[in-house]
Amino acid sequence: SDRKFTILHELAFTSDRKRMSVVVKHKGSIWVITKGADSVMEPLLANPFSERCSADLSTFSRQGLRTLIVGMRSIDESEFDEWSVEYTAARNL
């Protein structure tokens, strides 16, 4: 099956946010997809990492490996429209 996404907005990585996000449309649904370091992403999650996930992240860290967490959620059209107006206005300041 085709996996075609239309990028609606891209929020670049910044040292303040310590993550980057894209807002995309796929098969009529709008999604926010964000990636960042585990220490930045975990507080944003609905549920904390499982014990197994935290143990794996610790193991990777001790091995000197860099890990990125990817999270996503769907948003409805009205939430996107409201956010998009505010985001566009803020960018034009």
Side-chain angles (χ1 to χ4, degrees), residues 16-88:
D16 290 332
R17 289 183 74 235
K18 294 184 170 78
R19 59 188 183 272
M20 73 93 48
S21 303
V22 290
V23 182
V24 299
K25 193 167 211 172
H26 175 65
K27 294 186 178 181
S29 297
I30 299 174
W31 294 88
V32 179
I33 304 169
T34 302
K35 71 174 181 174
D38 56 301
S39 60
V40 173
M41 295 292 290
E42 186 173 21
L44 302 175
L45 300 176
N47 298 305
F49 295 140
S50 67
E51 286 184 32
R52 174 62 193 243
C53 181
S54 292
D56 287 343
L57 289 168
S58 292
T59 298
F60 297 150
S61 178
R62 285 191 303 277
Q63 294 173 353
L65 300 173
R66 180 175 173 220
T67 59
L68 291 174
I69 304 301
V70 177
M72 60 189 280
R73 76 174 180 99
S74 64
I75 59 174
D76 61 38
E77 193 88 28
S78 62
E79 183 179 2
F80 169 73
D81 291 341
E82 183 179 319
W83 174 85
S84 185
V85 167
E86 291 179 24
Y87 177 74
T88 301

